[in-house]
Amino acid sequence: MSLISFIRLLAKHLKTMLLAGLLLAGVVWYGTRNEKKEYTSHTLINTGLVSGYNLESSEGAKVDYAYTNNEIENLLSLASSYEMIEELAMNLLAEYIIMDEPNPDLITLEGWERMKEKEVHDVRLLVKVVGDKEKTLENIRKYREERTENAVQLLLYGKHPFFGIEHLKELQAMREGKSDQLRFKYSTTDPAVCRYTLEKLTEIFIDKHRRIKQIQSTDVLEFFENATKEAQENLDTREDRLLSFMIQNKIINYYEQTRYIAAAKEDLDEMYFLELMTLAGADSTLKRLELEMEKHMSLPELNAGLIMKRDKLAKLSARIAEYELFRLDSFPADLSALQELKLKSSELQEEIQHSVSASFAVNRTPEGVELKNLLTQWLNKVMDVEQSMARLGVFKKRKVEFEEIYSKFAPWGSRIKRYEREIDVAERAYLENLHSYNQARLHKFNMMMSANLKVIDQPFLPIKPAESKRKMLVVVGFLAGFILVLAAAIALELMDSSLKTPIRATEQTGLEIAGAFPLFPGISQKKQVIDFSKVRERSIGQFLQQIKLHLRNQEKPHDGPQRIAIISTRQGEGKSFVTQMAVEKLRATGERVAYIFPNPPLSDRHPDDFCYQPDIHFFEKKSEEKLIREAGFSDKDYQYIFLELPALLTDTYPVDLLAQYDLSLVVARSNRSWNHADAKSLDNFKKGISALPKLVLNGLHPEALEDSLGEIPKRRSRLRQLVKGMVLYLQPSA
């Protein structure tokens, strides 16, 4: 749609659009005649998500804006949630129901009068508990949850300006710019109720937000607390098992004890081998001395006398060796008892020596050695052998004890390692859970700190009512009606599939335009802006000019008049009207024209007008003479013959006769669409003629003729001339 077409459409429906706008504006004005004044208040809350400081804050830490935006969105959703509005409505209702007289801080006198209305009075009779707000609130909740409809539900879920959820849903919760502050805004008909509603909303909102944060952190804290307790119990169990094992086996320090036992065993082995060497040396010397002494004395008699004392000496030597070994093993030893045993051993050795010396006289050997000295040496070696034998017995016994200790300590090591490994794992699990538990506690206290929302601006008592929106609503109503009609007109224009204009008719029919005629007004219409007489003359002139140009450029196969057939696909297209205008114009210029039409004979018809009656033999006609059946008719008497045919879709036509015609004109109304039936009937018609038919568009809107006639002669105001000039300047192709 071009700009000039839009302006013409706007001018065409301007009155209807103005009427619709005024009508809708009047409806809005009448509907808002009882509009009540509303008072607006607001409050500002600081969340501290960005500007606040908490336990987890650190110097130089970056602000997580994604987290901040998410938290603020959560707060806004919480403030405007349906459950929050329900809780607010019930708390307000309980607060105002228990009032026995108006409180100027909570409600004005005008608002108190509304509290006496029937819907509030019925609720008061159901739920009020005098002086007890909590029980009244419990009754409200009870009636709200009932499945049967009651007065409480009707009031809460209605549009009451104080308690109706439908009205309270108009509470606005918004973010203050890009800050971490929230603003709550509310409007109602009572200023005191407006302020108190915001105060109550803020109170419920902060409390609900705190409880949500507390629940979130408490669940995590309880989890880690239980996990820490379980880890501690597991650690205690592992440690108690290790302690019981060490007590049961009398282990003080396993690693120190094993180290000491290994060192003591090495010392014992060394002493054992030294003692074996000592015994071997003493035994060898003893055998040599006995061989020497056998020549001078009886050794069996000497040994018989010393047997008891030697046994006693061996026992004393064994006890002394045991005391010394015990002291090597770090066991407590009675040092005084050891000294006493050594003293007894020395005395016994002296007795043995004295006894042997007294039994034999002092003699010399052949080598000159005194026998007494030899006897002393023998006696010393005997005592050394006895002592070594005793010590070796103690050493062997001790080695057996060491083997038993090793057989115990060897499996204890792997078991103690396993116990210690289990304790280490349990301890690390305990410490990890303890760390998480402490972090959860820290997070909980941090959450509780961040949940402490602060009210910066308390809601104020509005003194002046908000500006009425009635004027704006009236203007919006007028614009809505105006635009609605305009939109409907544009939609109808865009959906219009009629031929409408010469350009569209050519596109839809595929025929070249031979002429276009407007819809001429009736005789009763006196005041005409458009000069239709000039339009008529120009339309007929161009129509005849197109006919003559076509006939002139066409090679005529025979002599005689120019034959022109006027057809249409449907009835009522205006064939007779168009043909009569063309025939009259030609006759006025001195041309002799025969007009043949299928209408009944007219009493005042022209002598050259002929009519015919279509019958069953109509399509067989091959000449005009056979068609009209009038004596004296000769086609040589005329320069033009106009033949008007019935509608192609309703009647037949003489194919052989039409084959002789030089031009065929298809007349169509501009206010109808061109469908498949029209196209098919025209295609069949084309098969019987030599030249393509041309289209004559009838009943056009005068402005649509500008595509073919140029500017239409009409009276225009200066404003219209100026507007049209500007449009043509901005859009030359229009």
Side-chain angles (χ1 to χ4, degrees), residues 197-252:
T197 300
L198 286 174
E199 291 177 353
K200 199 65 183 177
L201 172 66
T202 304
E203 176 186 339
I204 297 174
F205 171 71
I206 293 177
D207 180 68
K208 198 172 187 67
H209 177 253
R210 183 184 297 111
R211 284 191 284 111
I212 290 174
K213 290 294 184 181
Q214 186 175 3
I215 291 172
Q216 291 176 347
S217 57
T218 301
D219 293 341
V220 177
L221 187 63
E222 288 180 355
F223 172 78
F224 283 114
E225 184 178 5
N226 295 332
T228 304
K229 289 181 180 179
E230 292 177 1
Q232 185 176 10
E233 292 174 358
N234 184 40
L235 178 61
D236 293 341
T237 302
R238 305 292 179 184
E239 290 179 341
D240 291 342
R241 186 168 65 174
L242 177 61
L243 178 62
S244 176
F245 176 78
M246 298 184 73
I247 292 174
Q248 182 181 358
N249 295 284
K250 298 179 181 179
I251 301 172
I252 298 174

Side-chain angles (χ1 to χ4, degrees), residues 157-182:
Y157 295 100
K159 295 185 178 181
H160 194 277
F162 299 163
F163 320 115
I165 292 176
E166 291 297 323
H167 183 75
L168 290 173
K169 283 196 299 186
E170 297 179 3
L171 273 162
Q172 299 179 23
M174 64 195 78
R175 184 177 182 179
E176 190 71 7
K178 295 184 178 180
S179 67
D180 56 354
Q181 297 174 352
L182 304 179

